Amino acid sequence: MAANRKNPAADPLQKQPGTVRGRPFEKGKSGNPAGKRPGTKARATLAAEQLLDGEAEAITRKAIDLALAGDTTALRLVMDRIVAPRKDRPVRFALPPMETADDAASAMAAIATAVAAGDLTPMEAASLANVVETFRRTLETTDLARRVAELESRS
């Protein structure tokens, strides 16, 4: 160990003469200022595309055949590609008319009643409650802006 301290070249952790530590490039400038051109694909992607070129139809047909034969993994793959998973759907629920902030309370009561009756799922109710709350805040903000404008016009 003592020999390494006397001879810095023998210790790889010691700074070697002529090496750059810290930032090798000027701040704000990289070693490749032009960067990678937009649309440039990775080598692995290009290789995969080359392998699949002309075989996509046969591979698709094979996946469908496996799915039809009962391969559940192939079935899931095929179904995921044919029918994208639904992320959201329209909620069929008639909110009571909302014109004032007080109407938001009756709308929330109607939502809670629908959840209790099983007409709405809790997630659907949360989405509708968000709509009601946004409406209430919008009314509150516009009312506040109107009142401030009235006070400023009196001054």
Side-chain angles (χ1 to χ4, degrees):
M1 191 74 162
N4 283 348
R5 288 188 187 173
K6 292 179 183 175
N7 184 2
D11 189 357
L13 298 177
Q14 295 295 318
K15 182 177 178 184
Q16 303 298 317
T19 60
V20 178
R21 289 192 39 91
R23 295 190 174 172
F25 302 108
E26 193 177 313
K27 191 170 184 174
K29 292 186 179 180
S30 72
N32 184 6
K36 198 175 203 180
R37 289 193 313 255
T40 303
K41 295 181 180 178
R43 286 188 188 118
T45 303
L46 290 172
E49 285 177 353
Q50 221 171 18
L51 286 171
L52 291 174
D53 197 27
E55 301 295 328
E57 190 175 324
I59 291 170
T60 303
R61 179 78 256 155
K62 182 67 174 178
I64 292 171
D65 290 343
L66 287 170
L68 291 173
D71 185 333
T72 57
T73 305
L75 179 61
R76 188 177 313 113
L77 176 78
V78 169
M79 289 306 295
D80 284 348
R81 296 302 177 254
I82 293 173
V83 181
R86 181 178 259 175
K87 295 197 182 352
D88 203 2
R89 66 180 183 87
V91 177
R92 300 197 189 288
F93 179 74
L95 274 174
M98 293 189 300
E99 294 177 12
T100 66
D102 293 337
D103 294 336
S106 62
M108 291 299 282
I111 291 169
T113 302
V115 171
D119 297 332
L120 286 177
T121 67
M123 290 299 289
E124 291 170 334
S127 295
L128 286 171
N130 192 12
V131 170
V132 171
E133 176 60 18
T134 302
F135 176 78
R136 185 199 61 78
R137 282 189 307 217
T138 302
L139 285 178
E140 198 174 79
T141 302
T142 54
D143 183 51
L144 184 61
R146 181 187 53 78
R147 291 163 72 190
V148 167
E150 279 180 19
L151 286 173
E152 287 177 348
S153 67
R154 289 184 195 165
S155 301

